[in-house]
Amino acid sequence: MVKHCSILTRSSDLTKTTMSKSEQLLSIKDHDFAMRPGFGGPAVPVGVDVQVESLDTISEVDMDFTMTLYIRHYWKDERLAFHSTTNKSMTFDGRLVKKIWVPDMFFVHSKKSFTHDTTTDNVMLRVYPDGKVLYSLRVTVTSMCSMDLSRFPLDTQTCSLEIESYAYTDDDLMLYWKKGNNSLSTDERISLSQFLIQEFHTTTKLAFYSSTGWYNRLYINFTLRRHIFFFLLQTYFPATLMVMLSWVSFWIDRRAVPARVPLGITTVLTMSTIITGVNASMPRVSYIKAVDIYLWVSFVFVFLSVIEYAAVNYLSTLQERKERKLRERMPCTCGMTHPGMMGTYSEEDVNNTGNYGGVPEENGAMKQQRMMVQLEFEENDQVTGHVGPSAYNSMWIDTHAIDKYSRVIFPGSYILFNVIYWSCYL
């Protein structure tokens, strides 16, 4: 029974001795590590280098990005110097970090961040015999990125992750990139679905706060260019096809109201759906984006095609009413011939005024009625002095010409718009 008790006591002493050796070797209990190294003297230099592990998400709606990185700090604290015959460093985990002084770095404009803790805290502390310290940790941070979406989706964005000391001004702590531009390294496998990562680079600036003073600030800058192919398939091509579909109505008989009206309404509603879908995934910005210009101009073209048919239908209705009134008040002249009739009215005129879209030729009675209407116009012109034979045909030609001109003007204008649009934004 006595032997068993002595074994338990010896085990407890060994554990206590192991812990006390590391603290005694680093003289942790002999110094006040609440103070920075060299307190009261010049600023302590703290070098930083970063390895970007992944760039996870870029959000236009929230105007932020998420990045996972290894951030390493280098400084010298003579209070941690120890004697070593082999001149080898000692490496510790995160438990010793709470007992010594470490730089109080934070990420400016960050929304949330955390240090990974699976399977244990991803923190490493390495101390060299001369007091030099390497402090490394693995962090995921979500930070703000102010994006200019005026050229969306043909835009290029530049975002920055900013690192700064929270408490120590440049009089107490000099923060710098340890290896200059070579202080930043990235994983070659980093890729994003919507962006092409063009470059990473580092900069250093001073930040001023009116109440506390000047601070050193380190910047990790990266430039992203958006992939356009996704938006071509999902937005630009459907909008272009809807505009082209609206032009089909120009080749449909103007009297085919059940065909032309639903076609125009369908294209207008489809364009409205495309615009709503694009804006639903975007922030509510107060300026016009490049995609808005394209979609709204396309919407105007589709809407104008509907207005064009309304104009054609209205003018056609006016002409039919006028012709009907002339027939009602015109006396019967069956079997009569007019001296100028054969010279001013031809089969081509009949086709221009009554035969559209492959409609069968008029029978004799209908043709005779139109000839009588033409005769009435000629007699009125002779009395009033107006230009004669073309008065009746001109109204029909003008009404029909709206469709003919639209077949050229609408596609030509839209092609010109596309040339100007893509030359400006590409």
Side-chain angles (χ1 to χ4, degrees):
M1 189 68 178
V2 175
K3 185 178 179 180
H4 179 67
C5 291
S6 63
I7 293 175
L8 292 177
T9 305
R10 180 175 297 178
S11 178
S12 178
D13 291 340
L14 287 173
T15 304
K16 184 176 180 181
T17 304
T18 303
M19 293 299 294
S20 62
K21 280 185 178 180
S22 61
E23 294 182 1
Q24 290 176 1
L25 184 62
L26 296 177
S27 305
I28 291 179
K29 293 184 178 180
D30 298 337
H31 302 281
D32 183 8
F33 283 96
M35 313 294 290
R36 69 172 179 85
F39 179 77
V44 54
V46 177
V48 175
D49 67 45
V50 169
Q51 179 179 347
V52 179
E53 181 183 14
S54 65
L55 190 57
D56 303 322
T57 58
I58 307 290
S59 175
E60 294 88 358
V61 177
D62 298 326
M63 292 285 187
D64 61 22
F65 65 92
T66 301
M67 178 186 292
T68 300
L69 65 154
Y70 299 92
I71 180 169
R72 305 182 183 95
H73 312 76
Y74 304 84
W75 73 94
K76 186 174 182 180
D77 190 344
E78 295 181 352
R79 295 172 295 184
L80 296 176
F82 61 91
H83 177 72
S84 175
T85 57
T86 59
N87 200 30
K88 290 184 178 180
S89 62
M90 293 191 300
T91 302
F92 305 92
D93 58 18
R95 288 174 290 183
L96 188 62
V97 173
K98 301 177 181 179
K99 300 180 180 181
I100 66 171
W101 181 90
V102 294
D104 57 338
M105 298 296 102
F106 80 104
F107 298 101
V108 185
H109 305 308
S110 66
K111 297 182 178 180
K112 60 181 179 180
S113 60
F114 62 91
T115 302
H116 290 259
D117 56 2
T118 306
T119 58
T120 184
D121 291 341
N122 295 177
V123 177
M124 185 269 288
L125 184 70
R126 182 172 295 169
V127 182
Y128 294 86
D130 59 353
K132 291 182 180 179
V133 182
L134 166 60
Y135 173 47
S136 176
L137 63 160
R138 181 168 175 253
V139 179
T140 293
V141 56
T142 300
S143 182
M144 182 184 69
C145 179
S146 298
M147 301 182 185
D148 180 11
L149 299 175
S150 58
R151 297 178 64 88
F152 177 88
L154 307 169
D155 56 331
T156 299
Q157 303 294 340
T158 299
C159 300
S160 299
L161 182 63
E162 306 170 17
I163 306 172
E164 183 181 308
S165 171
Y166 190 84
Y168 297 102
T169 65
D170 61 342
D171 294 329
D172 293 319
L173 189 147
M174 184 180 69
L175 200 61
Y176 68 98
W177 290 111
K178 182 175 177 60
K179 302 177 183 178
N181 290 330
N182 296 325
S183 301
L184 178 63
S185 59
T186 59
D187 193 328
E188 296 179 354
R189 295 173 296 178
I190 295 178
S191 63
L192 295 170
S193 58
Q194 291 192 25
F195 292 93
L196 172 65
I197 303 175
Q198 292 187 322
E199 65 169 338
F200 278 91
H201 67 278
T202 61
T203 54
T204 304
K205 296 181 181 180
L206 285 174
F208 177 73
Y209 298 90
S210 59
S211 58
T212 54
W214 293 90
Y215 294 80
N216 294 113
R217 183 177 295 180
L218 305 181
Y219 293 80
I220 301 174
N221 306 306
F222 55 95
T223 304
L224 305 171
R225 182 173 180 82
R226 196 182 304 273
H227 293 303
I228 184 60
F229 189 71
F230 171 81
F231 296 95
L232 288 177
L233 292 180
Q234 299 295 324
T235 303
Y236 286 95
F237 284 166
T240 302
L241 291 177
M242 285 301 103
V243 175
M244 296 175 65
L245 182 62
S246 68
W247 300 339
V248 175
S249 64
F250 303 150
W251 278 267
I252 299 178
D253 192 331
R254 60 185 177 81
R255 291 182 293 268
V257 177
R260 295 188 67 164
V261 171
L263 179 61
I265 295 176
T266 300
T267 53
V268 169
L269 293 178
T270 303
M271 283 301 305
S272 300
T273 303
I274 294 174
I275 294 174
T276 302
V278 171
N279 290 330
S281 60
M282 296 298 298
R284 293 181 176 87
V285 295
S286 59
Y287 50 83
I288 299 177
K289 302 181 292 293
V291 67
D292 294 335
I293 295 176
Y294 194 91
L295 291 179
W296 280 105
V297 170
S298 299
F299 182 85
V300 169
F301 271 91
V302 171
F303 183 76
L304 288 178
S305 68
V306 178
I307 300 300
E308 183 271 349
Y309 177 63
V312 169
N313 187 269
Y314 177 72
L315 293 178
S316 300
T317 302
L318 288 181
Q319 177 57 33
E320 290 173 359
R321 289 177 181 176
K322 189 170 185 179
E323 182 182 348
R324 190 181 304 112
K325 289 181 180 179
L326 288 174
R327 285 201 304 267
E328 290 175 355
R329 64 185 178 87
M330 184 175 57
C332 180
T333 55
C334 299
M336 296 178 57
T337 60
H338 191 272
M341 181 180 296
M342 299 304 296
T344 60
Y345 197 86
S346 63
E347 289 296 329
E348 182 179 1
D349 295 330
V350 174
N351 291 334
N352 287 336
T353 58
N355 187 20
Y356 298 98
V359 179
E361 294 185 358
E362 296 171 330
N363 54 30
M366 179 64 68
K367 184 182 298 184
Q368 186 178 21
Q369 289 180 359
R370 292 196 179 280
M371 293 172 66
M372 288 187 293
V373 173
Q374 171 71 9
L375 176 62
E376 181 70 16
F377 265 106
E378 292 179 358
E379 292 177 351
N380 291 339
D381 292 340
Q382 291 177 0
V383 175
T384 60
H386 292 150
V387 179
S390 62
Y392 172 72
N393 282 338
S394 62
M395 294 193 66
W396 284 87
I397 293 175
D398 289 344
T399 301
H400 198 54
I402 295 178
D403 276 341
K404 290 182 178 180
Y405 292 151
S406 297
R407 296 171 188 175
V408 177
I409 294 175
F410 274 71
S413 301
Y414 196 67
I415 292 173
L416 178 62
F417 161 70
N418 274 271
V419 171
I420 296 175
Y421 180 88
W422 293 111
S423 61
C424 290
Y425 286 101
L426 287 182

